[in-house]
Amino acid sequence: METYNNINKPSKDEQKVAITSYDALAAVLKELKSKNPEIEIEETQERIKIPLSALKLLGDILEAMSQGKPFSLVPFATEVTTQKAAEMLGCSRPHFVKLLEEGEIDFTKVGKHRRIKFEDVMEYKRKMKAVQKQRIIDIMKSDEALGLYDS
C-alpha cells in the first residue's frame, strides 16, 4: 500500500483514463443492488466479488485522479511520529512538539516518543486551513472598508 511519503500526482494519461473510468463506474454503481457485486477483468475473463464499499472507494480514487489531484490511502488508525506529522503540516518538529505540549493535538507517549493519530493531524490541518481562510476574508473585508481593495 502506498504511504503518505509516496503521493504522486496522476499523469495526464492516467487522468484521461480516470475520467472515462469514473463516469462508467459512477453510472454502474447507481444500478447495483448487491452488497458484493461481481466484476469481470476483461484481459483474463476472471470474475471477482468485490464489496460495494470498495467499489465506491475506487470511484472516489478515480474521481480524484480525473481531477488531477494527488491521493494516498492511509490506514485509519495509523499513528505517525512527530517528524512525520510536522512534515504533513509543513512546520518544524520543535514547533509541532510545542503544539502537542499546549494540548492543540492529542498524542500518546510510547516510552520517550510521542505518537499522533494520522486523523488527528489531518483534523488539525483542516481547522487551521479554515482559520486561515476566515482571516483572509476578514482582511479583504477590512481592506474593502478602507478602500484599499477592489471587489
Side-chain angles (χ1 to χ4, degrees):
M1 178 180 291
E2 294 284 319
T3 64
Y4 196 77
N5 292 337
N6 300 324
I7 298 174
N8 294 314
K9 189 173 181 181
S11 69
K12 289 292 182 189
D13 288 337
E14 290 172 328
Q15 198 172 345
K16 288 177 187 174
V17 171
I19 289 169
T20 305
S21 300
Y22 172 71
D23 291 341
L25 182 58
V28 168
L29 285 175
K30 290 178 184 175
E31 297 177 22
L32 291 177
K33 307 278 186 277
S34 170
K35 291 186 179 185
N36 296 307
E38 194 170 79
I39 64 168
E40 183 176 327
I41 307 298
E42 187 175 313
E43 286 184 26
T44 63
Q45 280 72 46
E46 188 168 346
R47 297 180 68 79
I48 305 168
K49 284 193 179 222
I50 296 186
L52 184 58
S53 59
L55 281 176
K56 288 179 180 179
L57 179 60
L58 177 59
D60 293 342
I61 292 168
L62 289 171
E63 183 178 27
M65 287 182 79
S66 71
Q67 296 169 359
K69 294 179 181 176
F71 70 92
S72 179
L73 293 177
V74 179
F76 196 71
T78 298
E79 291 185 335
V80 294
T81 64
T82 53
Q83 182 62 46
K84 181 54 61 192
E87 289 171 10
M88 290 164 58
L89 294 179
C91 66
S92 69
R93 193 189 68 74
H95 175 72
F96 185 78
V97 170
K98 182 179 166 192
L99 292 173
L100 295 177
E101 297 301 326
E102 290 174 349
E104 295 289 327
I105 304 170
D106 291 335
F107 69 96
T108 57
K109 271 198 153 179
V110 180
K112 295 181 189 178
H113 303 282
R114 296 173 188 88
R115 294 290 181 259
I116 307 92
K117 288 183 183 174
F118 174 83
E119 59 266 21
D120 289 345
V121 176
M122 297 312 291
E123 179 61 26
Y124 179 80
K125 187 173 186 175
R126 278 189 286 278
K127 286 179 185 175
M128 296 301 9
K129 291 282 185 191
V131 168
Q132 289 172 348
K133 184 176 180 178
Q134 187 57 51
R135 287 182 180 160
I136 289 171
I137 290 169
D138 292 346
I139 290 169
M140 288 171 51
K141 286 180 181 177
S142 174
D143 287 352
E144 283 177 357
L146 295 171
L148 301 173
Y149 182 79
D150 293 330
S151 57

